[in-house]
Amino acid sequence: MSSTMNEWKLRTYKHNHSMLSGAAELSKRASDLEKPHDKTQEVIIDDRTVIFELVKNVTKLPTTDREERIQMQFDVKNVDTSKLTCWQQHRLRRWLMQFEIGSLTLIYLAAFVAVNAIFAGLWYIEKEKCCEDPSMTFSQTFDFAIQTSSTIGYGGYWPKGYFANFLVVMLCVLSMLLSTVYGGLLFFKFSTPEANIQFSNVIAMNNVMGSPCLEIRVGNADGPANSLISAEASLVVLSGHEYLCPDTQEKRNMSSKETLGLAVSSQHTLDGVWTLRHFIDEKSPLYGFRFDEFPANTIHQFQLRVKAVQKLTKGEIFAQTAYQVEDIMVGHRFEDQVVWEKESRKGYFDFAKMSTTVPSVVWYPKPTNIYRHHSDTGLQKHSA
């Protein structure tokens, strides 16, 4: 953009100056960055002229829920049947691992009762029942099954006959298998680190020290009670394009991913809120484009991934989310989320303001009325 804008970018994100030296230089003179005299800037980008204008409150909040819009479900088919048994076992294991501790306990209790009821029924339909006592009721055979599977063995009943003893062995094996699986899943749930990672519902786009910037908030809603360390973040933009194959003259669709560099992609601790920033400058693949025009309107998703280490268990935690173009609030900035109490000398992160924005100026390209991409001639202009 202009030399003034490039000169006064936030010094933290530049290698030639530190944040402190940048702040010192800014304090020496009145900066025109937030209230510049020039409302437009003309820049040559890839042999095309882009006119930036200083605007605010360009886009509004999306009317549809973001979580519903980004859901894309895919399944598999035509799986090799020779490995079907192993594949089904893996799916069963993953299905069980998705339940919470309370649900797992209910599933275990239901399976435990069902297995014992089945074996009690097998003993009950026998003429001599389980203990060569034809007068035994179903409740008594069920009581015997419970005592056997739980290894209580009060001594009131004992199996007699080959069939009854065989069923005892089978019941013991199944009950031990159930208890082992439940115990393993319970250990997995307790040992797997968890954290309440929350993301802002929108992406704010505003000027940060004079440069257009995308901002996304990531927060640890557990706070210091579940401290996270060695946090890392990465942002990827996923887009789709239609092109004409030069060999077959067929139209094909191609999806591509590009990494959007973050100003700060890691930090030592994450006990509150972390604002991720991507500067839309000469190094950004988004530089010089409007999100409602080609090629930025081919963007499917902005995919954000966060990784951190739980300080208590030293285990890694992963969280991810996705945004679409309509989630970008152009000409908005996030409202201050930190609340400071002077008397108690304690600060708070107000998660009610996680996604709250206010209008703010940003350098944004003027409309060019370019909405499509033609496979033969390149860009085509259409009236708005």
Side-chain angles (χ1 to χ4, degrees):
M1 208 162 296
S2 66
S3 59
T4 304
M5 293 178 59
N6 289 328
E7 181 182 358
W8 300 110
K9 287 182 178 178
L10 188 58
R11 304 300 186 176
T12 311
Y13 314 127
K14 299 298 179 182
H15 299 291
N16 56 338
H17 288 88
S18 68
M19 178 186 66
L20 296 178
S21 62
E25 291 181 28
L26 285 175
S27 64
K28 292 179 181 178
R29 69 179 190 179
S31 176
D32 293 335
L33 293 177
E34 296 303 326
K35 296 180 180 179
H37 300 294
D38 296 332
K39 299 298 183 180
T40 61
Q41 301 287 342
E42 187 174 303
V43 184
I44 305 297
I45 304 176
D46 296 332
D47 298 328
R48 63 187 179 93
T49 301
V50 178
I51 300 177
F52 289 86
E53 56 182 349
L54 200 64
V55 295
K56 66 164 57 176
N57 199 18
V58 177
T59 55
K60 306 297 182 182
L61 280 172
T63 57
T64 56
D65 183 71
R66 179 176 64 91
E67 295 296 335
E68 295 180 359
R69 283 188 283 103
I70 65 176
Q71 285 183 355
M72 299 176 62
Q73 294 183 353
F74 292 92
D75 207 341
V76 296
K77 64 179 183 178
N78 300 325
V79 180
D80 187 0
T81 56
S82 62
K83 300 180 180 179
L84 184 60
T85 303
C86 181
W87 179 64
Q88 296 287 8
Q89 290 177 357
H90 290 167
R91 296 197 70 171
L92 176 61
R93 180 168 58 91
R94 291 192 294 268
W95 179 75
L96 288 173
M97 291 171 64
Q98 70 181 350
F99 291 99
E100 298 297 331
I101 294 178
S103 300
L104 280 176
T105 302
L106 292 177
I107 293 174
Y108 168 71
L109 291 176
F112 181 80
V113 172
V115 168
N116 282 278
I118 292 173
F119 277 84
L122 292 175
W123 278 311
Y124 182 72
I125 63 177
E126 284 295 308
K127 182 179 180 181
E128 300 296 329
K129 302 301 186 283
C130 64
C131 307
E132 293 187 352
D133 184 0
S135 64
M136 292 184 68
T137 63
F138 177 79
S139 61
Q140 289 176 320
T141 58
F142 184 73
D143 182 26
F144 171 72
I146 293 292
Q147 292 185 36
T148 303
S149 61
S150 60
T151 67
I152 295 177
Y154 289 118
Y157 308 103
W158 58 90
K160 292 182 180 180
Y162 291 108
F163 182 71
N165 280 278
F166 172 76
L167 291 181
V168 166
V169 173
M170 296 302 297
L171 178 58
C172 289
V173 172
L174 286 177
S175 63
M176 285 190 294
L177 179 62
L178 280 176
S179 299
T180 302
V181 172
Y182 173 67
L185 290 172
L186 205 61
F187 174 79
F188 169 77
K189 288 295 181 180
F190 274 105
S191 60
T192 301
E194 293 183 350
N196 187 7
I197 302 295
Q198 296 186 9
F199 300 91
S200 58
N201 289 326
V202 295
I203 301 176
M205 181 178 177
N206 62 97
N207 280 355
V208 176
M209 300 298 289
S211 293
C213 178
L214 296 181
E215 294 184 328
I216 306 176
R217 276 179 170 173
V218 181
N220 176 12
D222 295 330
N226 186 18
S227 183
L228 302 179
I229 59 176
S230 301
E232 299 178 2
S234 60
L235 183 62
V236 174
V237 58
L238 174 63
S239 59
H241 308 277
E242 184 182 86
Y243 71 99
L244 189 65
C245 181
D247 299 326
T248 61
Q249 299 299 310
E250 294 178 347
K251 288 185 178 181
R252 295 183 180 181
N253 295 320
M254 179 184 67
S255 60
S256 60
K257 288 186 177 182
E258 289 187 84
T259 300
L260 300 182
L262 297 175
V264 177
S265 60
S266 64
Q267 63 178 24
H268 297 299
T269 60
L270 181 57
D271 292 338
V273 177
W274 180 16
T275 301
L276 302 172
R277 292 185 175 93
H278 168 73
F279 280 92
I280 306 180
D281 55 13
E282 295 85 349
K283 298 180 181 179
S284 170
L286 306 177
Y287 184 56
F289 297 119
R290 291 178 60 93
F291 290 108
D292 57 351
E293 296 182 348
F294 182 86
N297 59 4
T298 64
I299 294 176
H300 293 323
Q301 284 186 348
F302 292 87
Q303 299 175 347
L304 175 62
R305 177 178 176 269
V306 176
K307 179 180 71 173
V309 177
Q310 189 181 42
K311 189 175 182 180
L312 179 63
T313 62
K314 303 300 186 292
E316 287 188 330
I317 292 175
F318 298 90
Q320 60 185 22
T321 190
Y323 300 88
Q324 293 182 324
V325 171
E326 48 261 53
D327 297 314
I328 302 177
M329 302 292 292
V330 180
H332 287 256
R333 64 172 178 84
F334 284 116
E335 188 177 352
D336 191 4
Q337 197 174 3
V338 179
V339 179
W340 177 256
E341 294 183 355
K342 293 183 178 180
E343 296 181 358
S344 61
R345 298 185 59 82
K346 191 173 184 179
Y348 299 92
F349 291 97
D350 187 359
F351 274 76
K353 300 179 180 179
M354 189 73 175
S355 304
T356 306
T357 63
V358 294
S360 181
V361 296
V362 64
W363 288 106
Y364 198 53
K366 274 190 172 182
T368 59
N369 298 327
I370 299 177
Y371 297 105
R372 293 185 189 173
H373 182 270
H374 193 276
S375 301
D376 299 323
T377 59
L379 299 179
Q380 281 192 334
K381 290 188 178 182
H382 298 259
S383 58

